[in-house]
Amino acid sequence: MHTDERDLKAFGRELRRLRVEAELTQQALARRISQRGTTISDSHLSDVENGRAMARPWLRKFLDEVLESDGRLDKLWEELTGSGRQVWLHEVTKRTHDADALFEYQPLVFPVYLQTQEYSYALIRYGAPWLSQEQVLALAKERNDRAKRMAEATSPVIWLIIDQSVLWRRYGSPQVQKEQLAYVAHQIERERVTVQMLPIRAPRHAGTSGPRRIITTAEEPEVVYMESAEEGRIISGSADINRSRMVFTALQGAARDPQETLQAIYDEMKAIDNE
């Protein structure tokens, strides 16, 4: 199985951190593993730490045992190379805000990092009717606080593709939608985000598999966040990421250019005024 070089380097960095934390040299760690019945050289451990070699399942098991890391290395390997695992909200939020670049497609709503508080409130209030008003208010405020931090930051670079229907929806009320559109237009004007709109009648529509976010970070392996109504999943397999990039490129080719999209947003704001 081919393993991305970035995955190997990320695993190696964590192995080195755990080894240093345990106050062991590579030679000492190799010796302790060899005492468990499988001989390994310190040069091989060096290759693993530097991303030149892959740690086999038996080695990951012994490393976790010797370093007393509670299975950390085996879990990390699954995170780096496993594809389709369920992800916690705080994890994808951290990955998103720590990223160098985001490439996202949204067919139904503006992403959370571009939402006004009123827009977030409407989405949560009617999308999760079992929550109390206090809970909805708290969640909407939390989203808005994160959105403000994203707007004020210089990274990540954000390239967003939305379906045209996102402009037409009236979550909460026409006024809530108008204020949301105005907020997005402002972020486009100040070049904080690049937005393209996929026309509703686009004949080559590659977005039928749902929303996705490609998260690119210099110090971490690239991942894709796939979201459904009930859960989100992190896709980390190299082949799966390449497929998502192909989908995003196809969406870019079918979408309106950023200036046309900005004009469409202003046109929709005028349409709301005339309703």
Side-chain angles (χ1 to χ4, degrees):
M1 178 184 69
H2 171 70
T3 303
D4 194 292
E5 181 182 355
R6 290 171 298 183
D7 296 344
L8 295 176
K9 289 186 178 298
F11 182 88
R13 284 194 298 270
E14 181 63 8
L15 170 57
R16 183 183 300 111
R17 185 189 71 79
L18 291 171
R19 176 179 61 75
V20 171
E21 191 176 84
E23 299 182 347
L24 291 173
T25 64
Q26 289 176 344
Q27 293 87 345
L29 180 56
R31 185 168 59 252
R32 293 195 184 187
I33 291 174
S34 298
Q35 289 171 351
R36 293 173 180 263
T38 304
T39 302
I40 184 173
S41 66
D42 55 290
S43 63
H44 182 68
L45 276 181
S46 176
D47 286 342
V48 173
E49 285 193 3
N50 287 287
R52 295 191 295 265
M54 181 175 68
R56 298 291 178 181
W58 65 267
L59 179 55
R60 296 198 300 272
K61 176 178 179 292
F62 287 160
L63 286 168
D64 276 325
E65 289 177 358
V66 172
L67 296 172
E68 298 181 352
S69 59
D70 194 27
R72 167 62 185 153
L73 290 172
D74 210 36
K75 292 174 186 175
L76 175 62
W77 186 256
E78 177 62 25
E79 290 177 2
L80 292 170
T81 62
S83 189
R85 68 179 180 84
Q86 194 167 350
V87 65
W88 295 104
L89 177 60
H90 69 83
E91 179 184 347
V92 73
T93 298
K94 185 176 188 306
R95 284 179 180 267
T96 295
H97 284 260
D98 290 347
D100 293 310
L102 303 175
F103 304 92
E104 181 157 1
Y105 168 66
Q106 282 289 346
L108 296 174
V109 299
F110 287 103
V112 294
Y113 53 79
L114 271 179
Q115 293 177 10
T116 65
Q117 186 165 329
E118 292 74 16
Y119 187 86
S120 291
Y121 178 89
L123 294 179
I124 299 168
R125 174 70 182 87
Y126 299 109
W130 53 86
L131 296 177
S132 69
Q133 185 176 10
E134 291 75 16
Q135 289 174 309
V136 175
L137 282 169
L139 289 171
K141 184 179 184 306
E142 183 181 335
R143 280 192 186 182
N144 189 242
D145 289 343
R146 293 199 302 266
K148 287 178 178 177
R149 290 198 299 272
M150 182 71 86
E152 293 166 0
T154 57
S155 65
V157 173
I158 303 171
W159 197 297
L160 172 67
I161 300 175
I162 56 170
D163 193 87
Q164 186 174 12
S165 64
V166 174
L167 305 186
W168 297 345
R169 298 181 185 277
R170 302 291 188 260
Y171 293 115
S173 71
Q175 186 60 31
V176 168
Q177 177 69 359
K178 182 183 177 183
E179 291 172 0
Q180 173 64 37
L181 293 174
Y183 178 75
V184 173
H186 176 63
Q187 300 307 319
I188 294 172
E189 291 279 16
R190 60 186 290 264
E191 299 183 347
R192 180 64 188 92
V193 60
T194 300
V195 182
Q196 287 184 268
M197 178 190 74
L198 188 67
I200 200 73
R201 294 187 176 87
R204 297 181 179 180
H205 196 304
T208 54
S209 58
R212 66 185 66 216
R213 181 183 305 164
I214 302 171
I215 304 174
T216 300
T217 308
E219 299 301 322
E220 298 286 345
E222 189 171 65
V223 298
V224 176
Y225 175 58
M226 301 282 289
E227 187 175 17
S228 68
E230 299 298 329
E231 64 181 16
R233 292 190 176 276
I234 283 287
I235 308 298
S236 54
S238 298
D240 295 321
I241 291 172
N242 288 338
R243 294 188 187 103
S244 282
R245 281 201 164 275
M246 289 178 66
V247 168
F248 192 83
T249 299
L251 287 166
Q252 282 183 302
R256 299 294 189 216
D257 69 43
Q259 193 57 43
E260 286 180 294
T261 299
L262 179 60
Q263 186 58 53
I265 291 174
Y266 282 127
D267 289 345
E268 192 60 29
M269 291 168 63
K270 291 179 182 177
I272 292 174
D273 286 336
N274 295 328
E275 289 180 355

